[in-house]
Amino acid sequence: MQEIRVKYFTDAIERLDYIAGKSDWIDLRAAKKVEMKAGEFQLIPLGVAMALPEGYEAHVVPRSSTFKNFGVIQVNSMGIIDNSYCGPNDQWFFPSYALRDTVIEVNDRICQFRIMENQPHLIFREDSLEGNEDRGGYGSTGRQ
């Protein structure tokens, strides 16, 4: 079991909680009320900073209900927070773009994260790849 040091920037959000057996993704919450008009971008503060263990990073993505509930998308598709982003002022944010007018309240669950081990050191060796089977090109696995 890993211990993660967390700084909270507000008492208005629920504390992080790992719910064993349900999912290994952990919800993150809006740390302030945000009002957005369609077409607007905002960095929504998540009210936390963390000191991740050496060799680990956090992957941050929207919750499955984020677009349905709030009409926003995460503009970088998936956020990667490495363990060097660990200072007392390194608050996490959710970069959002509104597709409709919306209001996100303090403590609304808007995204989620998981801690992942960094990729191992890789060496790339040029090769013709002869002897491997082609799959048929980009998008070749069909529609169903």
Side-chain angles (χ1 to χ4, degrees):
M1 181 181 308
Q2 290 279 358
E3 181 178 279
I4 308 293
R5 294 171 35 220
V6 180
K7 175 185 176 181
Y8 292 95
F9 289 83
T10 177
D11 288 328
I13 60 172
E14 289 185 32
R15 297 314 194 227
L16 298 175
D17 190 21
Y18 182 82
I19 304 171
K22 186 172 181 186
S23 171
D24 61 356
W25 289 84
I26 300 151
D27 290 335
L28 292 162
R29 298 166 181 274
K32 76 171 194 174
K33 181 177 180 178
V34 174
E35 295 184 32
M36 299 174 71
K37 299 286 184 195
E40 285 185 345
F41 166 82
Q42 280 200 39
L43 287 172
I44 301 173
L46 299 172
V48 296
M50 294 183 217
L52 301 177
E54 185 70 33
Y56 287 84
E57 63 193 20
H59 294 184
V60 181
V61 298
R63 297 180 75 241
S64 60
S65 62
T66 298
F67 182 75
K68 175 182 68 89
N69 291 340
F70 304 109
V72 298
I73 57 173
Q74 183 174 346
V75 296
N76 58 347
S77 300
M78 178 174 78
I80 306 293
I81 301 173
D82 65 50
N83 69 312
S84 70
Y85 191 71
C86 61
N89 297 305
D90 288 339
Q91 181 172 195
W92 292 15
F93 289 86
F94 181 72
S96 62
Y97 181 80
L99 281 95
R100 67 172 195 255
D101 294 356
T102 191
V103 176
I104 299 170
E105 299 290 343
V106 172
N107 209 43
D108 279 344
R109 296 179 298 162
I110 58 171
C111 56
Q112 58 192 337
F113 78 101
R114 71 186 314 184
I115 306 296
M116 301 292 294
E117 196 166 1
N118 293 139
Q119 179 169 273
H121 179 79
L122 302 173
I123 298 171
F124 295 95
R125 179 178 51 86
E126 191 169 342
D127 189 299
S128 69
L129 304 182
E130 293 299 322
N132 292 345
E133 185 177 334
D134 286 331
R135 284 187 49 189
Y138 182 80
S140 62
T141 58
R143 293 182 67 157
Q144 296 180 346

